[in-house]
Amino acid sequence: MLRMALDISWRAHMTNNEVYDALPKVTEKIESRRLCFAGHCYRHPELSVSRVILWEPTHGRPKRGRPQKTMVKTLMEDAGVESKEELANCMRNRDVWHVKHRARLRTAPCQLGSTE
């Protein structure tokens, strides 16, 4: 489908790696959007989600097996920070947070469709 959208002829003999290389991976796009949305919710004081975005359950006994991954741990992993406080400080500063979530995407220029 992408070959048709980019008007790449079958005679061009382009591999899938050449066609899809300039596009960001789906997981990178999801991570970037998750970070963007979390920062937006955290900075919006009228929303009830702004108080919940960094909440971690601390009551009860842990269940057997591997601990479940919380939203806070996922955001910390995506943003590349070590602590919950560092995550909150980054989310408060919109410019820093924008750089963090934009860094998740590859921004290589698209050079598809060239039939050299």
Side-chain angles (χ1 to χ4, degrees):
M1 296 296 290
L2 184 61
R3 291 175 191 269
M4 288 190 324
L6 295 174
D7 197 26
I8 299 173
S9 171
W10 62 273
R11 291 182 217 140
H13 297 289
M14 291 183 73
T15 64
N16 284 340
N17 289 337
E18 292 171 345
V19 174
Y20 292 101
D21 191 41
L23 297 175
K25 292 183 180 178
V26 174
T27 55
E28 292 173 352
K29 192 73 166 173
I30 291 170
E31 289 171 357
S32 174
R33 288 188 177 188
R34 183 179 344 168
L35 289 174
C36 182
F37 183 65
H40 172 76
C41 290
Y42 185 77
R43 287 187 302 272
H44 204 293
E46 291 88 27
L47 294 177
S48 60
V49 75
S50 67
R51 294 183 301 273
V52 178
I53 198 83
L54 293 179
W55 176 79
E56 286 186 294
T58 56
H59 61 283
R61 293 177 54 191
K63 296 179 181 177
R64 291 176 53 188
R66 182 181 63 181
Q68 288 196 354
K69 198 170 194 180
T70 62
M71 183 64 167
V72 176
K73 289 181 182 174
T74 303
L75 290 173
M76 285 171 42
E77 183 181 299
D78 290 349
V81 296
E82 298 293 323
S83 68
K84 191 171 160 180
E85 291 78 23
E86 187 180 356
L87 180 67
N89 288 337
C90 288
M91 289 171 89
R92 251 183 241 114
N93 188 345
R94 187 180 187 145
D95 295 329
V96 171
W97 194 247
H98 186 72
V99 169
K100 289 258 186 211
H101 83 82
R102 286 291 177 195
R104 300 303 295 175
L105 293 176
R106 291 184 294 165
T107 55
C110 185
Q111 298 178 1
L112 299 177
S114 60
T115 55
E116 295 177 1

